[in-house]
Amino acid sequence: MAGGAKGGYGCGSCRRAAGGGWGWRGRGSKDYGGVRLRCRWRQRGSEQVSGGSMSAAQPAAHPARRAAASAYLRFQPRAYLRNNYAPPRGDLSSPDGVGPWKLRCLAQTFASGEVFGRTLIDIGSGPTIYQLLSACAHFEDITMTDFLEVNRQELGLWLREEPGAFDWSTYSQHVCLIEDKGESWQEKEHQLRARVKRVLPIDVHQPQPLGAGDLAPLPADALVSAFCLEAVSPDLTSFQRALDHITTLLRPEGHLLLIGALEESWYLAGEARLAVVPVCEEEVREALVRSGYKVRDLRTYTMPAHLRTGVDDVKGIFFAWAQKVRV
């Protein structure tokens, strides 16, 4: 299932897109309908990869990361979206499906009235927006992030309402149905577009995942991350360290909503076959506690046989709601 080049070495969507051959080529910024999409890292040569504050020397020292970087250069956002967000996995008509389960977890958590504030950062957005459909009613300043430029470009298409952008209307309609506030799906999408203020590069394997600048207001009141950390981390130690790093972006007593794959080791995104570190429910719980969180809720979903379509080997999904402990 995995994400789609997300937060560091390809978090979620860029999963582990780290490797040799990256260098500093300057900083740029594009304005898409009032939303700032920034690019600070580019690969030497014809391919472009975006990231946070990673030096070229660091990834080259790790053979597994070099291999992952090569794989992520073949990552295709549209193939990833077709595999996971179009039918059968994208069929939201059955309440037992994986899509309705994820949307229900998010909607119910935000409906608790405890997760709200001014600023929210989506860690490793990949090419997806569904994870913010319930969040946008509770935060006025939302930052989306991804390691791969191709995913940030995909997000830009949707934010600008350009022809050819991926159609998330079925997801928006389903969230409106769950929330039952009398809101239309068009109003839902308009609100989300209005509240996403920036789309930034990120590298969760760096102590400062967003770099040393002030591109996003910090610390954030809440973090959301879907299918990112387990996908970009070659082992559990890296998974823990990445969780520690993103936790620095969150204020004390702030909330983290984390969605990820259970017992997954690979997934496909077009020609790319990408590695994932398998994690189980207890490993997720223990990692959250070690990073200084109180686990408020931890749910799991078992992937049914008819949704095991050969695009990955995922066994299930976890949803965690955790609150950063004040120190």
Side-chain angles (χ1 to χ4, degrees):
M1 179 101 188
K6 304 205 161 190
Y9 304 154
C11 232
S13 279
C14 154
R15 300 203 194 275
R16 307 187 190 171
W22 289 341
W24 177 260
R25 295 262 314 263
R27 177 176 297 184
S29 177
K30 301 176 183 179
D31 191 333
Y32 294 133
V35 178
R36 303 293 284 179
L37 276 72
R38 297 177 183 269
C39 177
R40 296 192 294 159
W41 288 91
R42 298 177 186 274
Q43 183 196 13
R44 298 187 185 108
S46 59
E47 297 285 350
Q48 292 186 341
V49 180
S50 57
S53 56
M54 179 179 57
S55 71
Q58 287 174 314
H62 198 305
R65 291 173 184 167
R66 286 202 303 271
S70 177
Y72 264 99
L73 292 178
R74 299 190 298 274
F75 182 90
Q76 297 176 14
R78 286 305 175 97
Y80 170 77
L81 290 169
R82 285 195 302 271
N83 289 347
N84 293 287
Y85 299 100
R89 289 185 176 179
D91 181 2
L92 306 183
S93 62
S94 171
D96 298 327
V98 62
W101 184 84
K102 290 185 293 182
L103 296 177
R104 194 161 55 245
C105 288
L106 290 163
Q108 289 172 352
T109 303
F110 285 109
S112 71
E114 295 189 54
V115 185
F116 65 93
R118 191 180 75 84
T119 59
L120 179 146
I121 300 175
D122 182 22
I123 304 293
S125 306
T128 68
I129 60 91
Y130 73 93
Q131 65 274 16
L132 298 174
L133 287 168
S134 288
C136 66
H138 303 273
F139 296 87
E140 62 188 56
D141 185 307
I142 295 175
T143 300
M144 301 188 78
T145 67
D146 199 79
F147 191 82
L148 282 184
E149 186 173 3
V150 290
N151 282 333
R152 299 205 309 274
Q153 290 173 344
E154 187 69 39
L155 294 174
L157 292 177
W158 187 85
L159 291 167
R160 299 189 304 270
E161 301 185 72
E162 289 197 359
F166 189 79
D167 183 5
W168 290 102
S169 62
T170 302
Y171 284 77
S172 304
Q173 292 170 33
H174 195 81
V175 171
C176 290
L177 181 65
I178 295 172
E179 294 179 343
D180 195 22
K181 298 178 180 177
E183 182 181 25
S184 71
W185 69 267
Q186 293 94 338
E187 291 171 324
K188 172 68 74 177
E189 292 193 350
H190 176 77
Q191 183 178 53
L192 177 54
R193 288 187 174 100
R195 294 195 167 186
V196 173
K197 304 301 183 184
R198 62 200 68 81
V199 181
L200 301 177
I202 190 170
D203 183 351
V204 301
H205 291 297
Q206 296 300 312
Q208 295 178 299
L210 293 176
D214 57 353
L215 300 180
L218 295 174
D221 294 313
L223 305 178
V224 169
S225 186
F227 303 104
C228 173
L229 301 187
E230 75 281 3
V232 1
S233 302
D235 49 47
L236 283 174
T237 300
S238 298
F239 177 88
Q240 182 73 66
R241 189 177 299 118
L243 181 59
D244 290 343
H245 291 163
I246 69 168
T247 299
T248 65
L249 305 176
L250 182 63
R251 68 168 176 83
E253 299 186 351
H255 297 268
L256 166 66
L257 304 186
L258 188 65
I259 300 176
L262 291 172
E263 301 295 344
E264 181 182 38
S265 65
W266 61 270
Y267 76 102
L268 301 178
E271 297 179 0
R273 179 184 171 106
L274 301 157
V276 182
V277 59
V279 297
C280 68
E281 178 182 356
E282 282 311 306
E283 287 167 335
V284 173
R285 184 187 301 275
E286 290 170 6
L288 287 166
V289 172
R290 289 194 188 104
S291 289
Y293 290 95
K294 175 183 178 182
V295 179
R296 301 287 303 275
D297 189 14
L298 182 55
R299 314 180 197 180
T300 61
Y301 173 90
T302 300
M303 191 69 75
H306 73 280
L307 294 183
R308 299 187 184 188
T309 57
V311 299
D312 54 39
D313 64 347
V314 66
K315 305 299 188 297
I317 310 295
F318 70 84
F319 170 83
W321 168 18
Q323 188 169 14
K324 185 176 179 179
V325 177
R326 178 180 290 277
V327 295

